[in-house]
Amino acid sequence: MTASVAKGQRGSLTKWVNGLACGAALAWLPGYSLLIGVLLIPLIAVCLLDSNRGEVMARMMMPYAFAALVHPFHMLWNADGSMDAAVMLLMNPMTSVVGWCAAGGGWFVFEVAILGVKLTRQFQVRQRKATIAKELATLAEEWDEQVAERP
């Protein structure tokens, strides 16, 4: 069995297990599932729409989104996790706005980090280029002097 076939089977098994877990959560904890589903819409959208770095970006956004879920989860827990309580929480626009803005904050941090890395690399390349140019100028002066001394 080749490595790619084994990886494909593991990926298929992972998707299947994730599907079972989601189904179980929907059956046993519908209020929590609804709250998670609505507040994690930005992460799902990023994964589906950005094929290049969607998964990496969603991983960066996830801690921010989960931090925003703590208070609504606590409120839902106090209301015994009922579907009515979840709907009432989601009817409050601040719940969704705070959750989605937290995910947006994760996205912003990711983009700023990428920009910072690019700027740092560009600065390092410019420094290296200046160093090499200086070394080349020094070598050119040395060789010009040696050529001039020979005849």
Side-chain angles (χ1 to χ4, degrees):
M1 182 180 300
T2 64
S4 62
V5 172
K7 185 178 178 183
Q9 287 177 345
R10 272 186 267 130
S12 176
L13 180 65
T14 303
K15 287 180 183 178
W16 201 77
V17 170
N18 287 343
L20 283 176
C22 288
L26 282 171
W28 289 318
L29 305 166
Y32 292 101
S33 299
L34 177 65
L35 191 62
I36 288 172
V38 170
L39 293 181
L40 296 185
I41 286 175
L43 277 75
I44 295 167
V46 164
C47 282
L48 295 176
L49 298 176
D50 192 359
S51 61
N52 292 336
R53 59 182 186 185
E55 186 176 334
V56 175
M57 190 178 300
R59 284 183 187 159
M60 183 68 182
M61 293 166 65
M62 202 170 294
Y64 295 90
F66 282 157
L69 277 170
V70 171
H71 182 66
F73 265 23
H74 181 72
M75 292 174 65
L76 189 60
W77 178 269
N78 288 337
D80 295 328
S82 68
M83 189 70 147
D84 293 334
V87 170
M88 289 304 293
L89 277 171
L90 292 172
M91 293 297 288
N92 180 2
M94 285 308 293
T95 303
S96 299
V97 167
V98 168
W100 292 349
C101 285
W107 170 82
F108 183 73
V109 167
F110 182 78
E111 293 295 333
V112 168
I114 288 176
L115 182 64
V117 168
K118 285 181 180 180
L119 290 175
T120 302
R121 285 186 180 171
Q122 190 176 38
F123 179 72
Q124 290 171 345
V125 165
R126 284 187 181 179
Q127 279 185 328
R128 181 73 177 138
K129 185 178 177 181
T131 305
I132 291 172
K134 195 180 294 182
E135 290 174 8
L136 284 174
T138 305
L139 288 173
E141 286 178 15
E142 287 178 15
W143 281 95
D144 285 343
E145 289 175 6
Q146 290 178 0
V147 171
E149 293 173 3
R150 280 190 186 172

